PDB file of all heavy atoms in Angstrom:
ATOM      1  N   GLY D 553     120.819  84.719  99.316  1.00  0.00           N
ATOM      2  CA  GLY D 553     121.757  85.511 100.092  1.00  0.00           C
ATOM      3  C   GLY D 553     122.675  86.406  99.294  1.00  0.00           C
ATOM      4  O   GLY D 553     123.542  87.079  99.858  1.00  0.00           O
ATOM      5  N   ARG D 554     122.506  86.468  97.976  1.00  0.00           N
ATOM      6  CA  ARG D 554     123.434  87.220  97.135  1.00  0.00           C
ATOM      7  C   ARG D 554     123.081  88.702  97.055  1.00  0.00           C
ATOM      8  O   ARG D 554     123.972  89.537  96.867  1.00  0.00           O
ATOM      9  CB  ARG D 554     123.460  86.631  95.732  1.00  0.00           C
ATOM     10  CG  ARG D 554     124.030  85.219  95.647  1.00  0.00           C
ATOM     11  CD  ARG D 554     123.893  84.693  94.224  1.00  0.00           C
ATOM     12  NE  ARG D 554     124.506  85.621  93.259  1.00  0.00           N
ATOM     13  CZ  ARG D 554     124.234  85.622  91.956  1.00  0.00           C
ATOM     14  NH1 ARG D 554     123.320  84.769  91.468  1.00  0.00           N
ATOM     15  NH2 ARG D 554     124.844  86.468  91.143  1.00  0.00           N
ATOM     16  N   ARG D 555     121.806  89.040  97.175  1.00  0.00           N
ATOM     17  CA  ARG D 555     121.388  90.425  96.942  1.00  0.00           C
ATOM     18  C   ARG D 555     120.472  90.918  98.063  1.00  0.00           C
ATOM     19  O   ARG D 555     119.873  90.133  98.798  1.00  0.00           O
ATOM     20  CB  ARG D 555     120.660  90.550  95.599  1.00  0.00           C
ATOM     21  CG  ARG D 555     121.512  90.218  94.376  1.00  0.00           C
ATOM     22  CD  ARG D 555     120.691  90.434  93.116  1.00  0.00           C
ATOM     23  NE  ARG D 555     121.471  90.194  91.899  1.00  0.00           N
ATOM     24  CZ  ARG D 555     121.531  89.031  91.273  1.00  0.00           C
ATOM     25  NH1 ARG D 555     120.851  87.981  91.752  1.00  0.00           N
ATOM     26  NH2 ARG D 555     122.257  88.902  90.177  1.00  0.00           N
ATOM     27  N   ILE D 556     120.342  92.236  98.100  1.00  0.00           N
ATOM     28  CA  ILE D 556     119.429  92.898  99.031  1.00  0.00           C
ATOM     29  C   ILE D 556     118.570  93.865  98.231  1.00  0.00           C
ATOM     30  O   ILE D 556     119.090  94.659  97.436  1.00  0.00           O
ATOM     31  CB  ILE D 556     120.201  93.666 100.123  1.00  0.00           C
ATOM     32  CG1 ILE D 556     120.989  92.688 101.004  1.00  0.00           C
ATOM     33  CG2 ILE D 556     119.250  94.505 100.979  1.00  0.00           C
ATOM     34  CD1 ILE D 556     121.967  93.376 101.939  1.00  0.00           C
ATOM     35  N   ALA D 557     117.278  93.780  98.403  1.00  0.00           N
ATOM     36  CA  ALA D 557     116.343  94.728  97.785  1.00  0.00           C
ATOM     37  C   ALA D 557     115.931  95.766  98.824  1.00  0.00           C
ATOM     38  O   ALA D 557     115.830  95.457 100.018  1.00  0.00           O
ATOM     39  CB  ALA D 557     115.112  93.998  97.249  1.00  0.00           C
ATOM     40  N   TYR D 558     115.670  96.980  98.375  1.00  0.00           N
ATOM     41  CA  TYR D 558     115.269  98.032  99.296  1.00  0.00           C
ATOM     42  C   TYR D 558     114.573  99.144  98.515  1.00  0.00           C
ATOM     43  O   TYR D 558     114.609  99.183  97.274  1.00  0.00           O
ATOM     44  CB  TYR D 558     116.459  98.585 100.071  1.00  0.00           C
ATOM     45  CG  TYR D 558     117.572  99.160  99.227  1.00  0.00           C
ATOM     46  CD1 TYR D 558     117.717 100.536  99.047  1.00  0.00           C
ATOM     47  CD2 TYR D 558     118.512  98.320  98.623  1.00  0.00           C
ATOM     48  CE1 TYR D 558     118.746 101.065  98.281  1.00  0.00           C
ATOM     49  CE2 TYR D 558     119.555  98.846  97.855  1.00  0.00           C
ATOM     50  CZ  TYR D 558     119.659 100.210  97.684  1.00  0.00           C
ATOM     51  OH  TYR D 558     120.681 100.729  96.927  1.00  0.00           O
ATOM     52  N   ALA D 559     113.934 100.045  99.236  1.00  0.00           N
ATOM     53  CA  ALA D 559     113.228 101.172  98.629  1.00  0.00           C
ATOM     54  C   ALA D 559     113.876 102.471  99.060  1.00  0.00           C
ATOM     55  O   ALA D 559     114.398 102.581 100.186  1.00  0.00           O
ATOM     56  CB  ALA D 559     111.757 101.162  99.026  1.00  0.00           C
ATOM     57  N   GLY D 560     113.849 103.461  98.191  1.00  0.00           N
ATOM     58  CA  GLY D 560     114.422 104.750  98.549  1.00  0.00           C
ATOM     59  C   GLY D 560     114.375 105.738  97.403  1.00  0.00           C
ATOM     60  O   GLY D 560     113.783 105.472  96.351  1.00  0.00           O
ATOM     61  N   PHE D 561     115.008 106.884  97.603  1.00  0.00           N
ATOM     62  CA  PHE D 561     115.079 107.899  96.557  1.00  0.00           C
ATOM     63  C   PHE D 561     116.174 108.895  96.891  1.00  0.00           C
ATOM     64  O   PHE D 561     116.666 108.964  98.029  1.00  0.00           O
ATOM     65  CB  PHE D 561     113.740 108.623  96.373  1.00  0.00           C
ATOM     66  CG  PHE D 561     113.195 109.292  97.616  1.00  0.00           C
ATOM     67  CD1 PHE D 561     113.604 110.567  97.980  1.00  0.00           C
ATOM     68  CD2 PHE D 561     112.244 108.652  98.402  1.00  0.00           C
ATOM     69  CE1 PHE D 561     113.099 111.188  99.114  1.00  0.00           C
ATOM     70  CE2 PHE D 561     111.729 109.261  99.538  1.00  0.00           C
ATOM     71  CZ  PHE D 561     112.157 110.534  99.897  1.00  0.00           C
ATOM     72  N   ASP D 562     116.572 109.665  95.887  1.00  0.00           N
ATOM     73  CA  ASP D 562     117.544 110.734  96.084  1.00  0.00           C
ATOM     74  C   ASP D 562     116.826 111.951  96.658  1.00  0.00           C
ATOM     75  O   ASP D 562     115.825 112.416  96.095  1.00  0.00           O
ATOM     76  CB  ASP D 562     118.220 111.105  94.761  1.00  0.00           C
ATOM     77  CG  ASP D 562     119.071 109.971  94.209  1.00  0.00           C
ATOM     78  OD1 ASP D 562     119.693 109.260  95.016  1.00  0.00           O
ATOM     79  OD2 ASP D 562     119.102 109.799  92.977  1.00  0.00           O
ATOM     80  N   GLU D 563     117.344 112.465  97.778  1.00  0.00           N
ATOM     81  CA  GLU D 563     116.713 113.602  98.439  1.00  0.00           C
ATOM     82  C   GLU D 563     116.961 114.889  97.654  1.00  0.00           C
ATOM     83  O   GLU D 563     118.110 115.281  97.423  1.00  0.00           O
ATOM     84  CB  GLU D 563     117.252 113.748  99.860  1.00  0.00           C
ATOM     85  CG  GLU D 563     116.669 114.920 100.631  1.00  0.00           C
ATOM     86  CD  GLU D 563     115.153 114.838 100.717  1.00  0.00           C
ATOM     87  OE1 GLU D 563     114.663 113.974 101.478  1.00  0.00           O
ATOM     88  OE2 GLU D 563     114.473 115.632 100.024  1.00  0.00           O
ATOM     89  N   LYS D 564     115.861 115.525  97.228  1.00  0.00           N
ATOM     90  CA  LYS D 564     115.954 116.790  96.502  1.00  0.00           C
ATOM     91  C   LYS D 564     115.067 117.864  97.127  1.00  0.00           C
ATOM     92  O   LYS D 564     114.746 118.857  96.502  1.00  0.00           O
ATOM     93  CB  LYS D 564     115.572 116.572  95.034  1.00  0.00           C
ATOM     94  CG  LYS D 564     116.524 115.644  94.297  1.00  0.00           C
ATOM     95  CD  LYS D 564     116.128 115.473  92.841  1.00  0.00           C
ATOM     96  CE  LYS D 564     117.104 114.541  92.119  1.00  0.00           C
ATOM     97  NZ  LYS D 564     116.731 114.329  90.689  1.00  0.00           N
ATOM     98  N   ARG D 565     114.642 117.601  98.370  1.00  0.00           N
ATOM     99  CA  ARG D 565     113.793 118.522  99.122  1.00  0.00           C
ATOM    100  C   ARG D 565     112.459 118.767  98.427  1.00  0.00           C
ATOM    101  O   ARG D 565     111.876 119.843  98.523  1.00  0.00           O
ATOM    102  CB  ARG D 565     114.511 119.840  99.397  1.00  0.00           C
ATOM    103  CG  ARG D 565     113.902 120.614 100.554  1.00  0.00           C
ATOM    104  CD  ARG D 565     114.650 121.897 100.871  1.00  0.00           C
ATOM    105  NE  ARG D 565     113.949 122.665 101.898  1.00  0.00           N
ATOM    106  CZ  ARG D 565     114.375 123.816 102.399  1.00  0.00           C
ATOM    107  NH1 ARG D 565     115.517 124.337 101.972  1.00  0.00           N
ATOM    108  NH2 ARG D 565     113.671 124.444 103.322  1.00  0.00           N
ATOM    109  N   ASN D 566     111.981 117.752  97.714  1.00  0.00           N
ATOM    110  CA  ASN D 566     110.657 117.854  97.124  1.00  0.00           C
ATOM    111  C   ASN D 566     109.593 117.663  98.188  1.00  0.00           C
ATOM    112  O   ASN D 566     109.801 116.982  99.199  1.00  0.00           O
ATOM    113  CB  ASN D 566     110.466 116.786  96.045  1.00  0.00           C
ATOM    114  CG  ASN D 566     111.277 117.075  94.803  1.00  0.00           C
ATOM    115  OD1 ASN D 566     111.492 118.231  94.452  1.00  0.00           O
ATOM    116  ND2 ASN D 566     111.727 116.034  94.125  1.00  0.00           N
ATOM    117  N   SER D 567     108.441 118.228  97.936  1.00  0.00           N
ATOM    118  CA  SER D 567     107.295 117.969  98.792  1.00  0.00           C
ATOM    119  C   SER D 567     106.894 116.502  98.715  1.00  0.00           C
ATOM    120  O   SER D 567     106.510 115.890  99.703  1.00  0.00           O
ATOM    121  CB  SER D 567     106.132 118.865  98.367  1.00  0.00           C
ATOM    122  OG  SER D 567     104.972 118.569  99.098  1.00  0.00           O
ATOM    123  N   TYR D 568     107.002 115.923  97.515  1.00  0.00           N
ATOM    124  CA  TYR D 568     106.684 114.505  97.306  1.00  0.00           C
ATOM    125  C   TYR D 568     107.703 113.915  96.348  1.00  0.00           C
ATOM    126  O   TYR D 568     108.059 114.533  95.343  1.00  0.00           O
ATOM    127  CB  TYR D 568     105.278 114.355  96.725  1.00  0.00           C
ATOM    128  CG  TYR D 568     104.998 112.974  96.156  1.00  0.00           C
ATOM    129  CD1 TYR D 568     104.842 111.877  96.999  1.00  0.00           C
ATOM    130  CD2 TYR D 568     104.904 112.775  94.779  1.00  0.00           C
ATOM    131  CE1 TYR D 568     104.604 110.615  96.487  1.00  0.00           C
ATOM    132  CE2 TYR D 568     104.648 111.517  94.258  1.00  0.00           C
ATOM    133  CZ  TYR D 568     104.497 110.442  95.118  1.00  0.00           C
ATOM    134  OH  TYR D 568     104.255 109.188  94.611  1.00  0.00           O
ATOM    135  N   THR D 569     108.199 112.727  96.673  1.00  0.00           N
ATOM    136  CA  THR D 569     109.118 112.017  95.805  1.00  0.00           C
ATOM    137  C   THR D 569     108.709 110.556  95.714  1.00  0.00           C
ATOM    138  O   THR D 569     108.457 109.918  96.741  1.00  0.00           O
ATOM    139  CB  THR D 569     110.572 112.100  96.324  1.00  0.00           C
ATOM    140  OG1 THR D 569     110.937 113.475  96.477  1.00  0.00           O
ATOM    141  CG2 THR D 569     111.534 111.426  95.362  1.00  0.00           C
ATOM    142  N   VAL D 570     108.628 110.030  94.509  1.00  0.00           N
ATOM    143  CA  VAL D 570     108.302 108.623  94.306  1.00  0.00           C
ATOM    144  C   VAL D 570     109.397 107.750  94.915  1.00  0.00           C
ATOM    145  O   VAL D 570     110.589 108.011  94.749  1.00  0.00           O
ATOM    146  CB  VAL D 570     108.146 108.315  92.799  1.00  0.00           C
ATOM    147  CG1 VAL D 570     108.164 106.815  92.535  1.00  0.00           C
ATOM    148  CG2 VAL D 570     106.849 108.921  92.278  1.00  0.00           C
ATOM    149  N   SER D 571     108.980 106.710  95.631  1.00  0.00           N
ATOM    150  CA  SER D 571     109.909 105.762  96.233  1.00  0.00           C
ATOM    151  C   SER D 571     110.217 104.651  95.235  1.00  0.00           C
ATOM    152  O   SER D 571     109.296 103.983  94.743  1.00  0.00           O
ATOM    153  CB  SER D 571     109.307 105.177  97.512  1.00  0.00           C
ATOM    154  OG  SER D 571     110.206 104.314  98.147  1.00  0.00           O
ATOM    155  N   ASN D 572     111.505 104.456  94.923  1.00  0.00           N
ATOM    156  CA  ASN D 572     111.930 103.499  93.906  1.00  0.00           C
ATOM    157  C   ASN D 572     112.422 102.190  94.515  1.00  0.00           C
ATOM    158  O   ASN D 572     112.745 102.115  95.703  1.00  0.00           O
ATOM    159  CB  ASN D 572     113.064 104.106  93.067  1.00  0.00           C
ATOM    160  CG  ASN D 572     112.628 105.349  92.321  1.00  0.00           C
ATOM    161  OD1 ASN D 572     111.640 105.326  91.592  1.00  0.00           O
ATOM    162  ND2 ASN D 572     113.362 106.432  92.498  1.00  0.00           N
ATOM    163  N   LEU D 573     112.532 101.171  93.660  1.00  0.00           N
ATOM    164  CA  LEU D 573     113.037  99.858  94.056  1.00  0.00           C
ATOM    165  C   LEU D 573     114.484  99.719  93.603  1.00  0.00           C
ATOM    166  O   LEU D 573     114.807  99.955  92.432  1.00  0.00           O
ATOM    167  CB  LEU D 573     112.178  98.757  93.429  1.00  0.00           C
ATOM    168  CG  LEU D 573     112.684  97.318  93.569  1.00  0.00           C
ATOM    169  CD1 LEU D 573     112.765  96.907  95.039  1.00  0.00           C
ATOM    170  CD2 LEU D 573     111.776  96.363  92.788  1.00  0.00           C
ATOM    171  N   TYR D 574     115.341  99.307  94.527  1.00  0.00           N
ATOM    172  CA  TYR D 574     116.763  99.110  94.247  1.00  0.00           C
ATOM    173  C   TYR D 574     117.188  97.708  94.688  1.00  0.00           C
ATOM    174  O   TYR D 574     116.567  97.095  95.569  1.00  0.00           O
ATOM    175  CB  TYR D 574     117.622 100.127  95.010  1.00  0.00           C
ATOM    176  CG  TYR D 574     117.413 101.564  94.599  1.00  0.00           C
ATOM    177  CD1 TYR D 574     116.368 102.307  95.132  1.00  0.00           C
ATOM    178  CD2 TYR D 574     118.262 102.171  93.687  1.00  0.00           C
ATOM    179  CE1 TYR D 574     116.175 103.636  94.764  1.00  0.00           C
ATOM    180  CE2 TYR D 574     118.078 103.499  93.315  1.00  0.00           C
ATOM    181  CZ  TYR D 574     117.033 104.230  93.854  1.00  0.00           C
ATOM    182  OH  TYR D 574     116.845 105.536  93.480  1.00  0.00           O
ATOM    183  N   VAL D 575     118.272  97.224  94.102  1.00  0.00           N
ATOM    184  CA  VAL D 575     118.946  96.026  94.597  1.00  0.00           C
ATOM    185  C   VAL D 575     120.441  96.321  94.663  1.00  0.00           C
ATOM    186  O   VAL D 575     120.958  97.152  93.906  1.00  0.00           O
ATOM    187  CB  VAL D 575     118.707  94.783  93.709  1.00  0.00           C
ATOM    188  CG1 VAL D 575     117.268  94.334  93.773  1.00  0.00           C
ATOM    189  CG2 VAL D 575     119.151  95.038  92.279  1.00  0.00           C
ATOM    190  N   MET D 576     121.107  95.663  95.579  1.00  0.00           N
ATOM    191  CA  MET D 576     122.562  95.750  95.682  1.00  0.00           C
ATOM    192  C   MET D 576     123.085  94.380  96.082  1.00  0.00           C
ATOM    193  O   MET D 576     122.320  93.504  96.523  1.00  0.00           O
ATOM    194  CB  MET D 576     122.968  96.799  96.717  1.00  0.00           C
ATOM    195  CG  MET D 576     122.457  96.542  98.123  1.00  0.00           C
ATOM    196  SD  MET D 576     122.895  97.892  99.240  1.00  0.00           S
ATOM    197  CE  MET D 576     121.890  97.505 100.691  1.00  0.00           C
TER     198      MET D 576
END
Side-chain angles (χ1 to χ4, degrees):
R554 294 175 54 199
R555 297 182 177 92
I556 295 170
Y558 58 101
F561 57 85
D562 294 324
E563 179 57 73
K564 296 181 180 179
R565 200 177 174 179
N566 289 327
S567 175
Y568 165 71
T569 304
V570 165
S571 183
N572 298 306
L573 171 62
Y574 295 83
V575 292
M576 60 184 169

